[in-house]
Amino acid sequence: MNTKAHKALLPAGIADVLPPDAEFEAGITEAIMAHFARHGFERVKPPLLEFEENLIGGSGAATASQTFRLMDPISQRMMGLRADMTLQIARIAATRLSDVPRPLRLGYAGQVLRVRGSALRPERQFGQTGIELIGSSSPAADAEVILLAIQGLEARGITGLSVDLGLPTLVPILCAQHNLDLGAIGEELRGALNQKDTAEIKTLLGDKAADFTALIDAVGPADKALPELRAIGMSGDAESALANLETVISILRSKMPDIRLTVDPVELRGYEYHTGLTFTLFARDIIGELGRGGRYRTGPDNGRPKEDATGITLFVDSILNAAPAAHAAKRVCVPMETGNDALMALHANGWITVNSLGHGPDLAEEAGRLNCTHVLVDGAPKEI
């Protein structure tokens, strides 16, 4: 292996982002963040790493297996590199912003690093952007974050969006209702439900399987799923969860009548710390999810009680795959002596200026070498 190739080699799932993709990614991220800010979500910036117990304690246990760890040489305590940003926002809300009036609306953007990738997302480092609405148990809060995420994606030219709604709490509720020990059969049952394997569920549960297979039968468009879930006849906690689901669907339909809504009440993967409604965003012809989120509870920290919260995380790499390609930038090569006023006028009209630095007598030849489409002649861009 030559020296150049050796220096370019990176760990599996880690990659450089080069021009023009890096600029496109930054532009998409900032445009979505600006959209969130216009709706009252204030930006916070959590650190890349923090003490291990902050990242993987409590609800963070769901990300423990994906968290890189290292020793802090100053404090001699273990630290972790974040694998997800949601729980960091919850920590900030419960500590640094504990006295700010609720509901609290926070937005964020940054990179995360995971121990391993997945089949659909082999990348181990990728960008996240999202919002968290903390301090409200209202279904309107869930609807708000879903709508803002959809609107932000549609404004980036992404079409064919759909929302898959879930209720991961229904399985534990049914287990309690049927006196089943979820701890004893949990892994097998969760696996069978995630795979929609009704035969395996019947093998595991015998004559108690009917309600669980009915959950699988209810998977599909929201208009089909709701009456089928109601027909199962679950306990009061489940009824409350279904009522919230119906309210969220009603709000979404009133705001976006054409949005495609599906319900999957047995999808549990990735929602280990969620305590209510969950949601995943997809786009037509795009493999993998654009974002996911749901309802959870924060705290307790500094004596503050737990708070109801909801939020959504968007995956920037998936958004880049779904968004229309950026238009090629207008680049003009300018002579070294060009004045600042002339440069500012070009920038105001959308031009990117590249200084020739006096290299070579032929400005057009220099422009082509520097990937410019125009040269500045008599104060005006001229195509080469």
Side-chain angles (χ1 to χ4, degrees), residues 107-137:
Y108 58 90
Q111 296 285 308
V112 299
L113 183 66
R114 296 184 175 177
V115 170
R116 64 187 65 82
S118 65
L120 292 178
R121 177 174 284 107
E123 297 82 10
R124 293 194 289 166
Q125 179 182 335
F126 54 90
Q128 290 185 342
T129 180
I131 49 177
E132 306 298 328
L133 201 161
I134 298 167
S136 173
S137 60

Side-chain angles (χ1 to χ4, degrees), residues 357-369:
L357 298 179
H359 294 163
D362 189 334
L363 190 61
E365 181 180 338
E366 182 71 357
R369 192 178 68 84

Side-chain angles (χ1 to χ4, degrees), residues 47-301:
L48 277 170
L49 75 169
E50 52 183 288
F51 291 123
E52 178 185 41
E53 60 265 28
N54 289 344
L55 285 176
I56 65 175
S59 298
T63 64
S65 65
Q66 286 283 38
T67 301
F68 277 94
R69 297 169 175 82
L70 66 160
M71 175 70 74
D72 178 12
I74 296 176
S75 67
Q76 298 297 301
R77 294 170 62 186
M78 290 302 295
M79 304 182 76
L81 285 160
R82 66 186 181 210
D84 185 79
M85 296 182 72
T86 298
L87 296 172
Q88 288 187 297
I89 309 305
R91 173 187 59 77
I92 290 172
T95 56
R96 307 294 298 277
L97 301 178
S98 62
D99 295 329
V100 177
R102 266 51 176 171
L104 185 63
R105 289 175 168 86
L106 300 176
Y108 58 90
Q111 296 285 308
V112 299
L113 183 66
R114 296 184 175 177
V115 170
R116 64 187 65 82
S118 65
L120 292 178
R121 177 174 284 107
E123 297 82 10
R124 293 194 289 166
Q125 179 182 335
F126 54 90
Q128 290 185 342
T129 180
I131 49 177
E132 306 298 328
L133 201 161
I134 298 167
S136 173
S137 60
S138 170
D142 298 296
E144 178 176 335
V145 298
I146 295 171
L147 286 167
L148 288 181
I150 293 171
Q151 291 164 357
L153 294 175
E154 288 185 337
R156 310 281 72 78
I158 300 175
T159 59
L161 290 168
S162 64
V163 185
D164 191 45
L165 301 163
L167 287 173
T169 56
L170 291 186
V171 171
I173 289 172
L174 274 181
C175 285
Q177 191 170 316
H178 289 285
N179 297 314
L180 291 170
D181 183 358
L182 188 57
I185 61 171
E187 288 302 317
E188 293 87 349
L189 180 58
R190 288 176 187 273
L193 289 168
N194 285 328
Q195 296 296 324
K196 312 295 189 290
D197 189 342
T198 55
E200 178 64 16
I201 292 171
K202 291 175 181 177
T203 299
L204 287 170
L205 304 181
D207 59 2
K208 297 181 178 181
D211 285 347
F212 294 89
T213 58
L215 285 182
I216 293 176
D217 293 338
V219 173
D223 295 338
K224 161 190 173 294
L226 286 173
E228 292 187 16
L229 289 172
R230 284 288 186 190
I232 295 175
M234 290 176 278
S235 66
D237 288 341
E239 285 297 313
S240 176
L242 288 174
N244 283 343
L245 173 62
E246 289 174 334
T247 302
V248 170
I249 290 173
S250 177
I251 295 172
L252 295 177
R253 292 278 193 220
S254 69
K255 299 284 188 178
M256 288 186 165
D258 296 329
I259 188 66
R260 183 170 178 266
L261 300 175
T262 59
V263 174
D264 187 344
V266 297
E267 181 60 54
L268 304 174
R269 287 171 293 199
Y271 296 116
E272 288 80 6
Y273 64 83
H274 287 86
T275 59
L277 181 70
T278 61
F279 25 88
T280 308
L281 303 187
F282 297 96
R284 188 183 301 114
D285 300 326
I286 300 298
I287 296 175
E289 57 205 22
L290 299 184
R292 61 165 48 206
R295 184 157 289 281
Y296 59 98
R297 303 199 76 198
T298 69
D301 289 284

